[in-house]
Amino acid sequence: MAKEGAQRAEETEQMIEKESGKEAAEGGAAGSLRAGDTKEMRAVVLSAFGGLNKLRVSKKTMPEPQEGELKIRVKACGLNFIDLMVRQGNIDNPPKTPLVPGFECSGIVEALGDSVKGYEIGDRVMAFVNYNAWAEVVCTPVEFVYKIPDDMSFSEAAAFPMNFVTAYMMLFEVANLREGMSVLVHSAGGGVWNNVATEEGQAVAQLCSTIPNVTVFGTASSFKHEAIKNSVTHLFDRNADYVQEVKRISTDGVDIVLDCLCGENTGKGLSLLKPLGTYILYGSSNMVTGETKSFFSFAKSWWQVEKVNPIKLYEENKVIAGFSLLNLLFKQNRGGLIKGVMDKLLNLYNSKKIKPVVDSLWALEEVKEAMQRIHDRGNIGKLILDVEKAPTPLMANDSTETSEAGEEEEDHEGDNENKERMPFIQ
């Protein structure tokens, strides 16, 4: 076993050196940043909270694994709607900038910290990371790392953890989905982006299909309908009066509402619940209305949220819940619970019952354009940052630190990160 591990380590090191030399010879952005310095890496850096101009690909010191951690040579990173909120500083207790965004990635194990068991150098893995995922190398505790099935690509693996774990937890752990129940999911064309927005729909629909006779109601932008119409039972335009449409089909409403929008949709979702039904808030994409954080837009969306009366919930036999995967992992220490969920999900994947949907691949230097696509809700499935993908010349010049001009751009509206933040529900 030790001999085999050493051989894998040597092969991995040779692969990394070969790729570094190739990039340097081609004169690409990656090669120019890494040539001659194996202790540095490329990473997407958020210099301050605000607009897209606050993002830039920079050189960073390469991390080394601490006790209980794995060092991963990143191949692909997941891009989620919550990353837009992080960029704007539109989250509770945001970390200090500059920071490297990103919460999930896939790649190859490059080094093991002390006391790490169950993994070897060269293993293909996917992982949750508490920030810092959008880089060539990450280190993360072993409890947040999972081996990738042989037939799963790195891009699919980067699209898998947040979307499917969030969808599974909400459906089966919180709402107790069973045969014959009905589910309403917003942004059905997304992947399920956890704690804010549109990347969950595909994962929810696929998981619902593993239970007999589950009816799925979905809302999505009209241009996505053709692509996703076969994944849900009933599909409505996100701007239409979906409440009346749902009640026309099911007069009693639905058993489960998964709300990633918040705002006025909170009251609509609660009104659609059957007795003993469960409403789950897992995001607030309606709070993100522009490239930068707007206090007035945020306040408008906040005042549209229906105030929840516990007595009314009692009288109507309804359940209201919230779900945040990142808080569960990194603040509430439920890594063991998530590990068990991931095992079940990988069994479903290996049985070909679920499969991550990848919308498109983007170079690190194209992160601004990728974020804009999510903001415009143009994606069907998950957007992936492909660390090895070469950017187009215009995008590379705009997003990498090649001049001082980019540092002089200002976005005063987006620099209001110190304004008071309101909770979603009081």
Side-chain angles (χ1 to χ4, degrees):
M1 182 69 72
K3 182 178 179 182
E4 188 176 298
Q7 184 178 356
R8 284 197 180 188
E10 184 177 353
E11 290 175 353
T12 302
E13 198 63 38
Q14 289 174 352
M15 178 193 69
I16 294 167
E17 290 176 0
K18 181 179 179 181
E19 290 178 355
S20 299
K22 180 180 177 182
E23 290 169 350
E26 291 175 349
S32 63
L33 287 172
R34 279 167 39 190
D37 188 356
T38 58
K39 294 299 182 181
E40 289 188 324
M41 64 177 183
R42 293 156 58 233
V44 175
V45 175
L46 179 66
S47 60
F49 297 119
L52 293 171
N53 65 302
K54 303 300 183 184
L55 292 166
R56 191 167 299 276
V57 176
S58 304
K59 288 188 294 185
K60 296 277 291 181
T61 300
M62 188 179 296
E64 295 298 331
Q66 304 299 308
E67 182 175 0
E69 291 186 341
L70 291 174
K71 179 181 180 182
I72 301 170
R73 174 67 59 167
V74 176
K75 296 291 186 178
C77 318
L79 206 162
N80 299 284
F81 199 92
I82 191 172
D83 297 314
L84 274 67
M85 296 188 72
V86 168
R87 193 199 74 220
Q88 294 182 359
N90 230 346
I91 57 175
D92 288 330
N93 301 313
K96 294 181 179 179
T97 55
L99 62 86
V100 176
F103 299 101
E104 62 182 339
C105 65
S106 64
I108 298 173
V109 175
E110 189 170 286
L112 308 176
D114 292 341
S115 74
V116 170
K117 297 180 180 179
Y119 293 89
E120 297 179 4
I121 293 173
D123 282 346
R124 299 169 70 250
V125 297
M126 52 187 160
F128 290 110
V129 188
N130 193 9
Y131 292 95
N132 299 306
W134 295 355
E136 290 184 309
V137 174
V138 302
C139 292
T140 193
V142 66
E143 64 178 320
F144 303 141
V145 181
Y146 319 93
K147 291 182 180 179
I148 300 175
D150 293 338
D151 61 344
M152 182 183 284
S153 68
F154 284 116
S155 58
E156 288 178 326
F160 194 83
M162 287 189 68
N163 289 2
F164 278 94
V165 171
T166 296
Y168 187 96
M169 292 291 294
M170 291 192 299
L171 289 172
F172 297 104
E173 299 291 337
V174 180
N176 193 22
L177 178 66
R178 301 182 301 281
E179 180 177 354
M181 295 179 75
S182 55
V183 180
L184 170 65
V185 56
H186 292 298
S187 298
V192 178
W193 39 264
N194 178 50
N195 211 14
V196 212
T198 103
E199 292 304 295
E200 232 94 58
Q202 291 287 324
V204 168
Q206 289 185 35
L207 288 171
C208 285
S209 70
T210 66
I211 304 298
N213 196 29
V214 171
T215 301
V216 180
F217 297 90
T219 70
S221 300
S222 58
F223 74 91
K224 298 182 181 182
H225 285 203
E226 184 63 28
I228 65 174
K229 63 182 181 180
N230 294 326
S231 63
V232 297
T233 315
H234 304 285
L235 185 59
F236 312 116
D237 190 292
R238 67 186 302 268
N239 296 315
D241 185 359
Y242 62 86
V243 173
Q244 292 305 314
E245 290 295 318
V246 171
K247 287 186 175 180
R248 181 178 60 83
I249 298 169
S250 175
T251 55
D252 290 340
V254 297
D255 296 292
I256 302 169
V257 173
L258 305 181
D259 183 9
C260 64
L261 301 176
C262 200
E264 63 180 347
N265 291 279
T266 301
K268 292 179 179 179
L270 286 171
S271 71
L272 281 173
L273 279 185
K274 293 179 179 180
L276 302 182
T278 303
Y279 162 93
I280 304 175
L281 177 66
Y282 70 98
S284 54
S285 64
N286 280 339
M287 302 296 185
V288 179
T289 57
E291 181 185 319
T292 58
K293 181 175 64 176
S294 168
F295 177 78
F296 296 105
S297 295
F298 187 91
K300 179 182 177 182
S301 295
W302 160 247
W303 287 115
Q304 290 177 329
V305 177
E306 180 174 305
K307 304 305 182 288
V308 177
N309 184 337
I311 300 299
K312 188 175 181 181
L313 292 176
Y314 154 75
E315 292 174 344
E316 297 182 353
N317 281 300
K318 294 181 178 180
V319 178
I320 185 168
F323 183 79
S324 166
L325 176 58
L326 296 182
N327 283 345
L328 202 65
L329 280 169
F330 303 124
K331 293 183 179 180
Q332 295 158 352
N333 302 315
R334 294 298 188 270
L337 172 62
I338 302 304
K339 179 74 171 177
V341 169
M342 184 63 80
D343 289 341
K344 296 176 183 177
L345 288 169
L346 289 176
N347 285 334
L348 290 173
Y349 175 85
N350 290 328
S351 302
K352 302 189 183 305
K353 294 183 178 179
I354 61 174
K355 183 179 178 65
V357 177
V358 175
D359 175 83
S360 50
L361 304 180
W362 304 76
L364 289 182
E365 291 79 6
E366 297 167 343
V367 64
K368 297 178 185 179
E369 290 76 15
M371 272 200 164
Q372 188 63 51
R373 181 169 174 80
I374 288 186
H375 183 272
D376 295 340
R377 293 172 171 81
N379 57 306
I380 299 175
K382 191 69 163 277
L383 274 72
I384 299 297
L385 296 178
D386 185 338
V387 175
E388 297 178 342
K389 183 179 183 296
T392 61
L394 287 177
M395 291 182 182
N397 289 338
D398 179 59
S399 298
T400 53
E401 283 189 340
T402 55
S403 70
E404 296 297 323
E407 295 300 323
E408 296 173 2
E409 295 178 359
E410 292 294 335
D411 190 344
H412 297 292
E413 183 185 4
D415 288 337
N416 296 326
E417 64 270 15
N418 291 323
K419 286 187 179 293
E420 181 180 1
R421 291 175 181 79
M422 301 184 211
F424 294 138
I425 297 174
Q426 286 183 330

